[in-house]
Structures are given as C-alpha cells and as structure tokens.
Amino acid sequence: SLHDALPILHAMSISFGGTTAMEIAKKYQEVKDLIEFVDDRKKDIAIVEAEIQEIEDEKSRLLYEFLDNSKLFKSPVFANDRSTTNIPFVTGDEELDRRFIKEADEAGFKNLKGHRLVGGMRASLYNAFPLEGVRALVEFMEKFETEVKGEN
C-alpha cells in the first residue's frame, strides 16, 4: 500500500535531490493508475477479439453447414483441413460452376470464381465480409440448387 511505501519514498526523496515524498507518492500513484488503465484496455481488447472470433466462426459454420447438406454443392476440402476465411466449393460440373458464378455475379455476389488452378468457386469470408452477406449467399445458393433440381 501507499502508506507502507512512505518510508521508502522518504528515503528515495533524499537521493532525488530533495523531491518530497508526497511528489514521489503522486508520481507512483499516477504510474499505478496508468498500469491499471492499460490492463483494463487489454481486457476490453480481449473481449472484442473474442466477439469478432465468434462472428468469424459463425460465418464459416453457416456456409460449411450448407455445403455439407447440399445435394448440389460440395466442399472439396476435408473437414479437419478447412479454412474459416477462404471456402472453396464445387458442383462437380464445370458448366454448372460457370453458370453459378455468372448468376451470382449478376445477383451482386462478386469474386466467387475459384482459383485458376483449382476451379470451382471460392467464398472469401475475411473480417470485412459481414455475417449478413454469408446468410444472403447461402440463401442464393439454396435458390440456385432448387432451380437446378427443377430442371432435371
């Protein structure tokens, strides 16, 4: 406590060229307050980071859940190797993949074309991509799948 530190602070005042124990105590308290403030901000940051991670996990969970239950779309990646930010998927038919990419682009879902060496489609769910965007994409994919089933 500050009271217990006063004898030490008084002794320190002699070595600091006459700075009073009270001045040293004030500086000590300011530093202590600053450390507490920084510790509190670290806790706040940790809470925000955890909340962001929950949203990121929910975004990828929604899309993978759809892919795992879809009769048309599939994820070519084993479950334990899956990324939470870049999610590739295919229909198994290159022509149908091209059609999906075209229709998705027309509906406002941009840049879904997969990597040029891999093909298919890829949804990039980086931090700036909102949860609502994933929900809308899944809804669009459900409608597309229903249309394709109706054609067969």
Side-chain angles (χ1 to χ4, degrees):
S1 80
L2 185 57
H3 183 266
D4 296 336
L6 284 177
I8 296 168
L9 294 172
H10 178 69
M12 290 173 59
S13 72
I14 297 168
S15 64
F16 285 121
T19 302
T20 67
M22 188 54 73
E23 292 169 326
I24 293 171
K26 283 183 181 177
K27 291 296 178 194
Y28 170 82
Q29 188 61 47
E30 288 174 8
V31 169
K32 183 178 173 193
D33 290 346
L34 180 61
I35 290 169
E36 287 177 13
F37 175 80
V38 169
D39 285 345
D40 288 345
R41 295 304 74 77
K42 285 181 183 177
K43 291 174 192 169
D44 293 343
I45 290 169
I47 290 168
V48 170
E49 287 174 340
E51 290 172 355
I52 290 171
Q53 189 58 52
E54 281 182 34
I55 293 168
E56 296 305 304
D57 292 345
E58 176 68 6
K59 291 187 319 189
S60 60
R61 186 196 64 73
L62 278 173
L63 185 51
Y64 281 125
E65 186 176 277
F66 171 75
L67 293 171
D68 290 342
N69 293 300
S70 174
K71 302 290 186 223
L72 177 64
F73 297 100
K74 299 293 173 218
S75 171
V77 181
F78 293 116
N80 59 341
D81 294 327
R82 291 176 172 177
S83 167
T84 57
T85 52
N86 285 303
I87 301 178
F89 55 98
V90 297
T91 64
D93 178 327
E94 289 183 18
E95 184 61 36
L96 201 51
D97 287 355
R98 284 190 290 276
R99 176 179 159 193
F100 174 80
I101 293 165
K102 180 181 181 290
E103 290 183 22
D105 187 72
E106 291 169 356
F109 299 99
K110 306 296 182 189
N111 302 314
L112 287 176
K113 186 175 181 182
H115 189 278
R116 61 184 170 80
L117 297 176
V118 178
M121 288 75 65
R122 177 180 64 188
S124 294
L125 308 182
Y126 290 98
N127 293 344
F129 194 83
L131 180 58
E132 295 77 24
V134 177
R135 288 183 180 132
L137 175 60
V138 168
E139 184 178 310
F140 177 81
M141 293 171 76
E142 288 171 339
K143 287 179 184 175
F144 184 87
E145 183 171 334
T146 300
E147 282 179 26
V148 169
K149 282 183 187 176
E151 294 170 4
N152 294 331

